[in-house]
Amino acid sequence: MPHSQSSAPRGRVRLARGASPWLLPTVATAAVSLARSRRSRRWAAVAVPTTALAAGMLWFFRDPEREIAQGRVISPADGVVQSIMPWKDGRTRVAIFMSPLNVHVNRAPLAGTVTSVEHIPGGFVPAFNKESENNERVVWHFDTELGDIEMVQIAGAVARRIVPYVPEGTKVEQGERIGLIRFGSRVDVYLPEGVEAAVEVGQATTAGVTRLDRD
């Protein structure tokens, strides 16, 4: 199955879907304060932090195009590998922590069909905390050439909204955008039995680019 993002212009950056509830009010406030700052010192004082916040929001919700890498399983998230843990059923869980500085659009680790998108309510402790296992999360299952692949988007202390882009039954290409987590959070991928992780704890990952499995 061809990669949908491979022909995209390099360097092009767009804004993430699902960003508007946060972005539009912030940008509108900044625009109003800047317009009124020419006639009022009070508004000038307001314009500085609101403009800075709007710029920060634009940076946070960036969604750059990517040249999708080759490999059986690629990273669904920008971030740092937090842990690599063998699971009781023979799978290996690769947990990727995303700080507020990372791109927060997540991508499909493999090509296949989305067989399940399940929202599970929970808490909002920091995503690097062990207790984040019980956080608000969305559990994805993909039917792929490697069998069933599970991916979990986990909300963090600030990230209180996970926005899936595609529903159950959708056929996705490897590296295709599938969802957004607003603000710092975590994404787990479960490598199937017999597939060895190619990344190490502490290694930086790029969604759609970093290969997670080893030949």
Side-chain angles (χ1 to χ4, degrees):
M1 186 177 292
H3 292 148
S4 62
Q5 309 296 329
S6 59
S7 61
R10 294 185 182 183
R12 179 186 171 190
V13 178
R14 65 183 190 180
L15 294 177
R17 288 168 52 195
S20 56
W22 291 80
L23 194 57
L24 292 180
T26 306
V27 172
T29 302
V32 170
S33 61
L34 280 171
R36 295 185 177 182
S37 66
R38 299 175 181 177
R39 294 174 292 178
S40 168
R41 290 186 177 181
R42 287 186 178 182
W43 277 105
V46 172
V48 173
T50 56
T51 302
L53 180 60
M57 285 287 188
L58 288 168
W59 172 254
F60 176 84
F61 286 116
R62 68 198 186 280
D63 183 11
E65 299 291 354
R66 296 277 166 79
E67 188 76 24
I68 304 303
Q70 298 294 321
R72 291 182 298 176
V73 186
I74 58 176
S75 177
D78 288 19
V80 174
V81 177
Q82 182 181 29
S83 65
I84 300 173
M85 293 183 60
W87 226 239
K88 294 180 180 179
D89 59 8
R91 297 180 300 167
T92 300
R93 187 189 71 182
V94 179
I96 300 171
F97 173 71
M98 298 186 295
S99 80
L101 299 179
N102 291 123
V103 173
H104 275 58
V105 174
N106 299 143
R107 295 173 179 261
L110 289 87
T113 301
V114 178
T115 56
S116 176
V117 184
E118 181 183 9
H119 172 261
I120 301 176
F124 298 98
V125 301
F128 53 80
N129 191 309
K130 185 177 180 180
E131 297 301 318
S132 64
E133 306 290 341
N134 299 316
N135 273 13
E136 184 101 0
R137 58 201 184 277
V138 171
V139 180
W140 296 75
H141 284 272
F142 303 89
D143 181 19
T144 76
E145 62 180 11
L146 295 181
D148 177 69
I149 296 293
E150 181 178 350
M151 186 190 94
V152 184
Q153 295 174 296
I154 303 174
V158 180
R160 303 199 173 214
R161 187 75 170 91
I162 300 172
V163 185
Y165 288 167
V166 297
E168 180 180 329
T170 303
K171 290 185 177 181
V172 295
E173 298 180 6
Q174 189 176 45
E176 182 176 338
R177 298 171 175 89
I178 58 170
L180 168 73
I181 311 180
R182 294 174 181 158
F183 304 105
S185 39
R186 197 178 102 194
V187 176
D188 296 347
V189 178
Y190 291 80
L191 301 178
E193 185 175 5
V195 176
E196 183 182 353
V199 291
E200 300 178 348
V201 173
Q203 179 178 336
T205 61
T206 301
V209 176
T210 305
R211 184 173 177 178
L212 297 184
D213 72 298
R214 191 184 309 279
D215 289 327

